[in-house]
Amino acid sequence: MKAHIVQPEDIAYIWEEVAPLLERVKEHSEGELETDDFLEPLTHGDMQLWTAIKNNEIMASMVTQIVPYPRKRVLRIISIAGEEMDGWIKYLHLIEDWALSVGCTSLECWGRKGWLKILRDWKCSYHILTKDLTARMH
């Protein structure tokens, strides 16, 4: 298996293969993003698409975004999904290397608690609490 970042100009060529993987993440979200919401930022370079490929088949995809906080730059993992995780999770060091190369000093991951079992050298810095207010809308 091989993992790499997809250049913005190549997103359109693989979008039909990647979109179903990204769609899986939606059921675990709070409705912030639909799968198609990634397309424009990816093609403009505002977000990054990473893929893991085995035998010319995309096994996993991940979307990242650089967050320029006032005191530091962070690479945030927004979406990650795929098959055969043992084959591609070991490539996270490539994402770390790339983050450092673009001036990021740390990584963030938006994900479920189960990721802590997989990302053993990460820590849970805080929880994100949400409250749905749509019922109060008129």
Side-chain angles (χ1 to χ4, degrees):
M1 196 171 301
K2 187 175 182 179
H4 68 280
I5 190 169
V6 178
Q7 295 304 311
E9 60 270 16
D10 296 330
I11 300 293
Y13 299 114
I14 65 167
W15 184 249
E16 294 300 318
E17 294 177 71
V18 170
L21 291 170
L22 296 175
E23 186 72 20
R24 292 184 195 175
V25 178
K26 193 167 76 172
E27 71 182 75
H28 303 290
S29 74
E30 291 292 321
E32 305 89 355
L33 295 162
E34 292 288 329
T35 302
D36 287 338
D37 294 335
F38 291 120
L39 187 55
E40 186 176 331
L42 288 169
T43 57
H44 288 109
D46 298 324
M47 291 182 178
Q48 303 77 40
L49 177 65
W50 303 80
T51 58
I53 299 172
K54 178 181 175 185
N55 300 325
N56 292 324
E57 182 181 347
I58 297 175
M59 302 302 292
S61 65
M62 177 174 62
V63 175
T64 59
Q65 182 178 36
I66 296 171
V67 180
Y69 288 113
R71 305 241 178 229
K72 66 191 229 180
R73 272 171 73 96
V74 172
L75 185 67
R76 179 181 293 155
I77 299 171
I78 297 174
S79 178
I80 187 169
E83 303 293 332
E84 299 183 26
M85 186 187 314
D86 290 343
W88 53 263
I89 197 74
K90 62 187 173 192
Y91 289 107
L92 280 180
H93 70 90
L94 295 174
I95 287 85
E96 293 176 15
D97 293 346
W98 186 84
L100 288 167
S101 78
V102 295
C104 294
T105 57
S106 61
L107 300 177
E108 290 180 350
C109 181
W110 289 5
R112 296 176 286 151
K113 290 179 187 179
W115 279 105
L116 285 171
K117 295 175 188 173
I118 298 161
L119 304 173
R120 296 181 188 270
D121 60 339
W122 291 53
K123 68 175 185 172
C124 182
S125 297
Y126 49 86
H127 297 278
I128 297 173
L129 307 174
T130 61
K131 181 178 181 180
D132 186 356
L133 298 177
T134 56
R136 292 187 51 197
M137 297 173 74
H138 295 63

